Amino acid sequence: MGEHAARQTGAGASEGHARITASVYTSHVPAIGAAIDLGKTEEPYWKPLFAGYEPSKQWMRENKPDVVFLVYNDHATSFDLGMIPTFAIGTAAEFEPGDEGYGPRPVPKVIGHPELASHIAQSVIQQDFDLTIVNDLKVDHGLTVPMNLLFGSPEAWPVKVIPFHVNVVQYPVPSGARCFALGQAIRRAIESYDAPLKVQIWGTGGMSHQLQGPRAGLINKEWDNKFLDRLIAEPAELAKVSHIEYVREAGSEGIELVMWLIARGAMSDVDGGPAPTLKHRFFHVPASNTAVGHLIMENN
Ligand code: DHB
Ligand code: FE
């Protein structure tokens, strides 16, 4: 075997590849962003919520990746009823915060990773998932609030971010099982990228909440905590939960939780590897009309 071939296929080859170091899960309630922007994080209502993310920010300082693959849903900010991609990957060099009605949030623009994003698009589409490729994308609270929760409020975000949008707003939305399988395809895509990047995958949205109709304000702590237990311990079984159960038990917007299954599907244990290490678990009610859940898992 020549030296070149050895470099391509030998034992050291994996050192030259991207790898998923961890998955992070968090709700993305817009009122959390407003509390940050309006300087209310020390108020009694908000303090316990932000305290739950202090260990996360510390962990992030110690485990900062090169790139975050951030699964979220646009809330009629960049996509409206005129265009509804089920899955969309942001391949641009940068993404500005969008105007959700009060002007764009005063947070840094997101710097993308066009080369890795294009590689993931290529790989995942060849694994038979239809992705929409987006270069013109403004990011909303679904993406910016998790960034604040994990990184605080820096001048510039300390990592590159690949935004990955999932339609959980307008039916038909993808099933948990499809999202879980997509996460597996995304892991294969990331790990076949030929540069030694540390990549985290985040799943955002949820937990139980319903914003409209007679059940507005619904919160289901028991169901949410069971979801967290099962996401950790039996994600393949959890992926079989039907849309109707999410909506019945976690409210109409609780369906956002299918996005967490994309991040969980990208952990190695789903493909026969060792179980991830749970580094942090936090649950808090309420934040505005929503239950807030948060997990950090290191990939092994
Ligand atoms: C609200 C909006 C969201 O997108 C969400 O995930 C949770 C709460 C809200 O408007 O309160
Ligand atoms: Fe949301």
Side-chain angles (χ1 to χ4, degrees):
M1 190 187 282
E3 197 195 315
H4 180 70
R7 227 183 295 124
Q8 295 294 309
T9 59
S14 65
E15 281 160 32
H17 283 218
R19 73 199 159 83
I20 297 186
T21 54
S23 52
V24 174
Y25 310 81
T26 181
S27 307
H28 62 211
V29 190
I32 295 174
I36 294 168
D37 299 344
L38 301 172
K40 295 184 174 178
T41 59
E42 293 296 317
E43 290 187 0
Y45 181 86
W46 289 110
K47 211 173 163 152
L49 180 280
F50 287 101
Y53 286 84
E54 281 306 318
S56 319
K57 287 193 278 186
Q58 183 58 37
W59 174 85
M60 188 59 83
R61 282 190 285 273
E62 292 159 6
N63 295 278
K64 194 171 71 67
D66 300 298
V67 183
V68 172
F69 187 92
L70 203 158
V71 180
Y72 79 110
N73 65 291
D74 180 85
H75 303 74
T77 303
S78 267
F79 306 124
D80 57 18
L81 293 181
M83 172 88 76
I84 308 169
T86 302
F87 299 118
I89 185 165
T91 45
E94 48 185 66
F95 308 92
E96 298 279 353
D99 182 350
E100 299 177 62
Y102 301 90
R105 289 195 61 215
V107 292
K109 70 182 173 192
V110 166
I111 305 300
H113 197 307
E115 213 188 282
L116 176 59
S118 305
H119 169 82
I120 294 170
Q122 157 99 2
S123 170
V124 169
I125 290 170
Q126 286 186 343
Q127 294 177 71
D128 297 335
F129 282 90
D130 305 317
L131 304 185
T132 300
I133 292 160
V134 195
N135 286 306
D136 183 5
L137 177 71
K138 297 236 188 321
V139 291
D140 73 9
H141 69 270
L143 184 143
T144 61
V145 167
M147 290 294 284
N148 285 129
L149 287 172
L150 274 296
F151 293 116
S153 300
E155 284 290 306
W157 297 125
V159 294
K160 296 185 170 174
V161 177
I162 298 175
F164 190 88
H165 156 86
V166 181
N167 169 40
V168 285
V169 169
Q170 178 62 44
Y171 281 81
V173 305
S175 67
R178 182 114 180 108
C179 288
F180 191 59
L182 172 59
Q184 295 168 56
I186 290 168
R187 185 175 69 80
R188 289 189 284 268
I190 289 171
E191 294 191 343
S192 65
Y193 185 68
D194 237 345
L197 296 178
K198 286 183 275 183
V199 182
Q200 288 181 6
I201 181 164
W202 295 11
T204 77
M207 298 202 81
S208 56
H209 63 301
Q210 170 142 350
L211 300 176
Q212 322 171 42
R215 295 205 310 164
L218 176 145
I219 284 179
N220 186 343
K221 289 190 216 179
E222 271 99 63
W223 191 91
D224 285 338
N225 277 289
K226 192 82 190 149
F227 183 93
L228 296 175
D229 294 341
R230 299 184 73 196
L231 191 75
I232 295 163
E234 46 170 39
E237 285 302 305
L238 180 63
K240 296 176 186 164
V241 167
S242 62
H243 286 150
I244 195 71
E245 178 173 335
Y246 285 95
V247 173
R248 186 180 65 230
E249 301 296 332
S252 51
E253 278 71 42
I255 191 66
E256 288 182 339
L257 284 168
V258 295
M259 295 186 288
W260 293 31
L261 287 161
I262 296 179
R264 187 64 182 87
M267 295 289 93
S268 306
D269 65 324
V270 174
D271 201 21
T277 306
L278 182 67
K279 299 302 286 190
H280 187 43
R281 175 173 176 159
F282 177 62
F283 180 79
H284 177 84
V285 286
S288 174
N289 288 318
T290 305
V292 169
H294 173 42
L295 297 173
I296 297 176
M297 296 182 203
E298 284 179 2
N299 201 25
N300 290 314

PDB file of all heavy atoms in Angstrom, residues 93-112:
ATOM      1  N   ALA A  93     -22.798  31.555   3.568  1.00  0.00           N
ATOM      2  CA  ALA A  93     -21.658  31.955   4.401  1.00  0.00           C
ATOM      3  C   ALA A  93     -22.122  32.653   5.671  1.00  0.00           C
ATOM      4  O   ALA A  93     -21.441  32.625   6.691  1.00  0.00           O
ATOM      5  CB  ALA A  93     -20.726  32.867   3.612  1.00  0.00           C
ATOM      6  N   GLU A  94     -23.285  33.308   5.607  1.00  0.00           N
ATOM      7  CA  GLU A  94     -23.808  33.949   6.818  1.00  0.00           C
ATOM      8  C   GLU A  94     -25.316  34.093   6.776  1.00  0.00           C
ATOM      9  O   GLU A  94     -25.933  34.047   5.698  1.00  0.00           O
ATOM     10  CB  GLU A  94     -23.122  35.289   7.084  1.00  0.00           C
ATOM     11  CG  GLU A  94     -23.032  36.204   5.902  1.00  0.00           C
ATOM     12  CD  GLU A  94     -22.232  37.457   6.231  1.00  0.00           C
ATOM     13  OE1 GLU A  94     -21.007  37.333   6.485  1.00  0.00           O
ATOM     14  OE2 GLU A  94     -22.828  38.551   6.234  1.00  0.00           O
ATOM     15  N   PHE A  95     -25.876  34.258   7.962  1.00  0.00           N
ATOM     16  CA  PHE A  95     -27.328  34.332   8.129  1.00  0.00           C
ATOM     17  C   PHE A  95     -27.629  35.424   9.151  1.00  0.00           C
ATOM     18  O   PHE A  95     -27.184  35.339  10.302  1.00  0.00           O
ATOM     19  CB  PHE A  95     -27.879  32.987   8.642  1.00  0.00           C
ATOM     20  CG  PHE A  95     -27.442  31.805   7.815  1.00  0.00           C
ATOM     21  CD1 PHE A  95     -26.283  31.104   8.158  1.00  0.00           C
ATOM     22  CD2 PHE A  95     -28.159  31.399   6.701  1.00  0.00           C
ATOM     23  CE1 PHE A  95     -25.856  30.018   7.398  1.00  0.00           C
ATOM     24  CE2 PHE A  95     -27.735  30.312   5.936  1.00  0.00           C
ATOM     25  CZ  PHE A  95     -26.581  29.616   6.287  1.00  0.00           C
ATOM     26  N   GLU A  96     -28.365  36.413   8.745  1.00  0.00           N
ATOM     27  CA  GLU A  96     -28.719  37.518   9.652  1.00  0.00           C
ATOM     28  C   GLU A  96     -29.942  37.117  10.486  1.00  0.00           C
ATOM     29  O   GLU A  96     -30.792  36.363  10.019  1.00  0.00           O
ATOM     30  CB  GLU A  96     -29.110  38.763   8.830  1.00  0.00           C
ATOM     31  CG  GLU A  96     -28.017  39.316   7.947  1.00  0.00           C
ATOM     32  CD  GLU A  96     -27.028  40.198   8.701  1.00  0.00           C
ATOM     33  OE1 GLU A  96     -27.268  40.501   9.896  1.00  0.00           O
ATOM     34  OE2 GLU A  96     -26.007  40.558   8.083  1.00  0.00           O
ATOM     35  N   PRO A  97     -30.059  37.679  11.704  1.00  0.00           N
ATOM     36  CA  PRO A  97     -31.306  37.473  12.445  1.00  0.00           C
ATOM     37  C   PRO A  97     -32.487  38.136  11.730  1.00  0.00           C
ATOM     38  O   PRO A  97     -32.348  39.228  11.185  1.00  0.00           O
ATOM     39  CB  PRO A  97     -31.039  38.149  13.802  1.00  0.00           C
ATOM     40  CG  PRO A  97     -29.723  38.812  13.722  1.00  0.00           C
ATOM     41  CD  PRO A  97     -29.064  38.480  12.426  1.00  0.00           C
ATOM     42  N   GLY A  98     -33.621  37.453  11.737  1.00  0.00           N
ATOM     43  CA  GLY A  98     -34.804  37.958  11.039  1.00  0.00           C
ATOM     44  C   GLY A  98     -35.633  38.879  11.919  1.00  0.00           C
ATOM     45  O   GLY A  98     -35.493  38.897  13.144  1.00  0.00           O
ATOM     46  N   ASP A  99     -36.506  39.623  11.282  1.00  0.00           N
ATOM     47  CA  ASP A  99     -37.444  40.511  11.980  1.00  0.00           C
ATOM     48  C   ASP A  99     -38.736  39.733  12.240  1.00  0.00           C
ATOM     49  O   ASP A  99     -39.453  39.391  11.312  1.00  0.00           O
ATOM     50  CB  ASP A  99     -37.713  41.743  11.115  1.00  0.00           C
ATOM     51  CG  ASP A  99     -38.634  42.739  11.807  1.00  0.00           C
ATOM     52  OD1 ASP A  99     -39.212  42.403  12.875  1.00  0.00           O
ATOM     53  OD2 ASP A  99     -38.775  43.860  11.283  1.00  0.00           O
ATOM     54  N   GLU A 100     -39.012  39.447  13.518  1.00  0.00           N
ATOM     55  CA  GLU A 100     -40.214  38.673  13.862  1.00  0.00           C
ATOM     56  C   GLU A 100     -41.334  39.580  14.341  1.00  0.00           C
ATOM     57  O   GLU A 100     -42.276  39.124  14.984  1.00  0.00           O
ATOM     58  CB  GLU A 100     -39.858  37.624  14.925  1.00  0.00           C
ATOM     59  CG  GLU A 100     -38.815  36.644  14.424  1.00  0.00           C
ATOM     60  CD  GLU A 100     -38.412  35.638  15.495  1.00  0.00           C
ATOM     61  OE1 GLU A 100     -39.275  34.878  15.956  1.00  0.00           O
ATOM     62  OE2 GLU A 100     -37.227  35.623  15.866  1.00  0.00           O
ATOM     63  N   GLY A 101     -41.222  40.859  14.050  1.00  0.00           N
ATOM     64  CA  GLY A 101     -42.297  41.774  14.403  1.00  0.00           C
ATOM     65  C   GLY A 101     -41.854  42.925  15.288  1.00  0.00           C
ATOM     66  O   GLY A 101     -42.545  43.935  15.392  1.00  0.00           O
ATOM     67  N   TYR A 102     -40.689  42.760  15.945  1.00  0.00           N
ATOM     68  CA  TYR A 102     -40.181  43.830  16.814  1.00  0.00           C
ATOM     69  C   TYR A 102     -38.810  44.293  16.331  1.00  0.00           C
ATOM     70  O   TYR A 102     -38.017  44.803  17.106  1.00  0.00           O
ATOM     71  CB  TYR A 102     -40.075  43.331  18.259  1.00  0.00           C
ATOM     72  CG  TYR A 102     -41.396  42.856  18.834  1.00  0.00           C
ATOM     73  CD1 TYR A 102     -41.801  41.531  18.716  1.00  0.00           C
ATOM     74  CD2 TYR A 102     -42.247  43.759  19.466  1.00  0.00           C
ATOM     75  CE1 TYR A 102     -43.015  41.102  19.221  1.00  0.00           C
ATOM     76  CE2 TYR A 102     -43.469  43.334  19.972  1.00  0.00           C
ATOM     77  CZ  TYR A 102     -43.843  42.009  19.854  1.00  0.00           C
ATOM     78  OH  TYR A 102     -45.043  41.590  20.363  1.00  0.00           O
ATOM     79  N   GLY A 103     -38.504  44.047  15.072  1.00  0.00           N
ATOM     80  CA  GLY A 103     -37.156  44.308  14.558  1.00  0.00           C
ATOM     81  C   GLY A 103     -36.282  43.103  14.827  1.00  0.00           C
ATOM     82  O   GLY A 103     -36.592  42.290  15.707  1.00  0.00           O
ATOM     83  N   PRO A 104     -35.179  42.957  14.082  1.00  0.00           N
ATOM     84  CA  PRO A 104     -34.292  41.815  14.318  1.00  0.00           C
ATOM     85  C   PRO A 104     -33.729  41.851  15.738  1.00  0.00           C
ATOM     86  O   PRO A 104     -33.459  42.928  16.262  1.00  0.00           O
ATOM     87  CB  PRO A 104     -33.166  42.007  13.300  1.00  0.00           C
ATOM     88  CG  PRO A 104     -33.686  42.990  12.304  1.00  0.00           C
ATOM     89  CD  PRO A 104     -34.701  43.840  13.004  1.00  0.00           C
ATOM     90  N   ARG A 105     -33.572  40.695  16.362  1.00  0.00           N
ATOM     91  CA  ARG A 105     -32.963  40.658  17.699  1.00  0.00           C
ATOM     92  C   ARG A 105     -31.531  41.198  17.628  1.00  0.00           C
ATOM     93  O   ARG A 105     -30.821  40.961  16.647  1.00  0.00           O
ATOM     94  CB  ARG A 105     -32.917  39.213  18.233  1.00  0.00           C
ATOM     95  CG  ARG A 105     -34.276  38.650  18.620  1.00  0.00           C
ATOM     96  CD  ARG A 105     -34.098  37.385  19.466  1.00  0.00           C
ATOM     97  NE  ARG A 105     -33.371  37.693  20.682  1.00  0.00           N
ATOM     98  CZ  ARG A 105     -32.495  36.875  21.270  1.00  0.00           C
ATOM     99  NH1 ARG A 105     -32.225  35.685  20.750  1.00  0.00           N
ATOM    100  NH2 ARG A 105     -31.872  37.243  22.374  1.00  0.00           N
ATOM    101  N   PRO A 106     -31.082  41.891  18.687  1.00  0.00           N
ATOM    102  CA  PRO A 106     -29.717  42.441  18.697  1.00  0.00           C
ATOM    103  C   PRO A 106     -28.694  41.366  19.043  1.00  0.00           C
ATOM    104  O   PRO A 106     -28.034  41.425  20.075  1.00  0.00           O
ATOM    105  CB  PRO A 106     -29.796  43.523  19.784  1.00  0.00           C
ATOM    106  CG  PRO A 106     -30.840  43.017  20.727  1.00  0.00           C
ATOM    107  CD  PRO A 106     -31.845  42.270  19.895  1.00  0.00           C
ATOM    108  N   VAL A 107     -28.591  40.385  18.189  1.00  0.00           N
ATOM    109  CA  VAL A 107     -27.626  39.294  18.383  1.00  0.00           C
ATOM    110  C   VAL A 107     -26.731  39.235  17.148  1.00  0.00           C
ATOM    111  O   VAL A 107     -27.100  39.743  16.090  1.00  0.00           O
ATOM    112  CB  VAL A 107     -28.343  37.929  18.590  1.00  0.00           C
ATOM    113  CG1 VAL A 107     -29.089  37.906  19.914  1.00  0.00           C
ATOM    114  CG2 VAL A 107     -29.269  37.593  17.434  1.00  0.00           C
ATOM    115  N   PRO A 108     -25.535  38.649  17.292  1.00  0.00           N
ATOM    116  CA  PRO A 108     -24.619  38.611  16.146  1.00  0.00           C
ATOM    117  C   PRO A 108     -25.214  37.834  14.974  1.00  0.00           C
ATOM    118  O   PRO A 108     -26.079  36.976  15.157  1.00  0.00           O
ATOM    119  CB  PRO A 108     -23.393  37.876  16.687  1.00  0.00           C
ATOM    120  CG  PRO A 108     -23.517  37.892  18.172  1.00  0.00           C
ATOM    121  CD  PRO A 108     -24.965  37.997  18.490  1.00  0.00           C
ATOM    122  N   LYS A 109     -24.716  38.155  13.776  1.00  0.00           N
ATOM    123  CA  LYS A 109     -25.099  37.317  12.642  1.00  0.00           C
ATOM    124  C   LYS A 109     -24.442  35.955  12.793  1.00  0.00           C
ATOM    125  O   LYS A 109     -23.422  35.818  13.482  1.00  0.00           O
ATOM    126  CB  LYS A 109     -24.728  37.988  11.324  1.00  0.00           C
ATOM    127  CG  LYS A 109     -23.252  38.052  11.052  1.00  0.00           C
ATOM    128  CD  LYS A 109     -22.992  38.783   9.741  1.00  0.00           C
ATOM    129  CE  LYS A 109     -21.490  38.991   9.567  1.00  0.00           C
ATOM    130  NZ  LYS A 109     -21.164  39.921   8.489  1.00  0.00           N
ATOM    131  N   VAL A 110     -25.058  34.973  12.189  1.00  0.00           N
ATOM    132  CA  VAL A 110     -24.560  33.606  12.254  1.00  0.00           C
ATOM    133  C   VAL A 110     -23.607  33.380  11.084  1.00  0.00           C
ATOM    134  O   VAL A 110     -23.936  33.727   9.940  1.00  0.00           O
ATOM    135  CB  VAL A 110     -25.762  32.631  12.185  1.00  0.00           C
ATOM    136  CG1 VAL A 110     -25.303  31.215  11.917  1.00  0.00           C
ATOM    137  CG2 VAL A 110     -26.578  32.720  13.471  1.00  0.00           C
ATOM    138  N   ILE A 111     -22.426  32.853  11.400  1.00  0.00           N
ATOM    139  CA  ILE A 111     -21.474  32.515  10.342  1.00  0.00           C
ATOM    140  C   ILE A 111     -21.637  31.033  10.010  1.00  0.00           C
ATOM    141  O   ILE A 111     -21.577  30.181  10.899  1.00  0.00           O
ATOM    142  CB  ILE A 111     -20.022  32.801  10.802  1.00  0.00           C
ATOM    143  CG1 ILE A 111     -19.875  34.252  11.278  1.00  0.00           C
ATOM    144  CG2 ILE A 111     -19.032  32.469   9.686  1.00  0.00           C
ATOM    145  CD1 ILE A 111     -20.197  35.309  10.235  1.00  0.00           C
ATOM    146  N   GLY A 112     -21.881  30.754   8.751  1.00  0.00           N
ATOM    147  CA  GLY A 112     -22.123  29.381   8.322  1.00  0.00           C
ATOM    148  C   GLY A 112     -20.844  28.632   8.003  1.00  0.00           C
ATOM    149  O   GLY A 112     -19.729  29.120   8.235  1.00  0.00           O
TER     150      GLY A 112
END
